[in-house]
Amino acid sequence: MSLVNGLPAHVLLVHFVVVLVPLTALALVLCAVWSTAARRMGIVLPLLALVTLASVPLTTQAGEWLESHVASNSLVRRHAELGDGMLPWAGGLLVLAVVVWWATRRTAATADGDADGGGRGTRWSAAPVRVAAAVLSVVIAAGAVVDVYRIGDSGAKAAWQGGYSKSASGGGDGDDG
């Protein structure tokens, strides 16, 4: 993907990543620490994480196209380097979203008496998995959000460095009439 209606696709797609990564991170942490939220979200949590994950390579591919069509400088290269690091964070969000969803289903099934550890008469508890998922969710969510911020900040600097004036230019005297 290169252009959308004459604009570089990266400029448009980046908004999905900037919104979806923090939204997925927030939903993941909420569901990981509050089982009621996890039960209410159900399959939506891993689906949201899947859409988030899919948006990252689309955005980076569009960014690579854009990188080859702009003047290269240290800011552009830094942004591209940072952007390449987003995929593992998005993958971590997906993996943990699936774990939280699965553990929530397993806990609900155990509470309903439907799960018995595979039919061997032992009761399996998802509590340790939920605790580990909660801790990992906070870590991965924080890392993903911080990385999105760092990537976005570097992209804004690359796009706008020297591209505007701190003082208003002509074009009017400030009166509306």
Side-chain angles (χ1 to χ4, degrees), residues 20-140:
L20 288 176
V21 168
L23 180 64
T24 303
L26 178 63
L28 174 61
V29 169
L30 183 66
C31 290
V33 299
W34 190 24
S35 60
T36 301
R39 283 193 299 277
R40 286 189 177 187
M41 276 199 82
I43 192 71
V44 172
L45 178 63
L47 290 177
L48 176 63
L50 180 62
V51 170
T52 300
L53 177 64
S55 72
V56 171
L58 289 174
T59 303
T60 55
Q61 287 175 351
E64 288 171 2
W65 178 88
L66 182 58
E67 181 182 15
S68 68
H69 288 80
V70 297
S72 181
N73 61 44
S74 62
L75 294 173
V76 170
R77 287 189 300 275
R78 174 77 174 142
H79 176 64
E81 288 171 11
L82 289 172
D84 289 339
M86 188 68 236
L87 191 59
W89 291 111
L93 290 173
L94 175 61
V95 168
L96 286 166
V98 170
V99 168
V100 168
W101 171 74
W102 176 81
T104 300
R105 286 181 41 117
R106 185 71 180 192
T107 301
T110 301
D112 293 341
D114 294 339
D116 63 354
R120 287 178 276 231
T122 59
R123 293 187 62 84
W124 184 87
S125 173
V129 174
R130 288 195 58 82
V131 169
V135 171
L136 286 172
S137 294
V138 169
V139 171
I140 295 297

Side-chain angles (χ1 to χ4, degrees), residues 158-176:
W160 291 100
Q161 189 75 24
Y164 69 95
S165 173
K166 291 184 180 179
S167 61
S169 62
D173 59 6
D175 290 336
D176 290 339

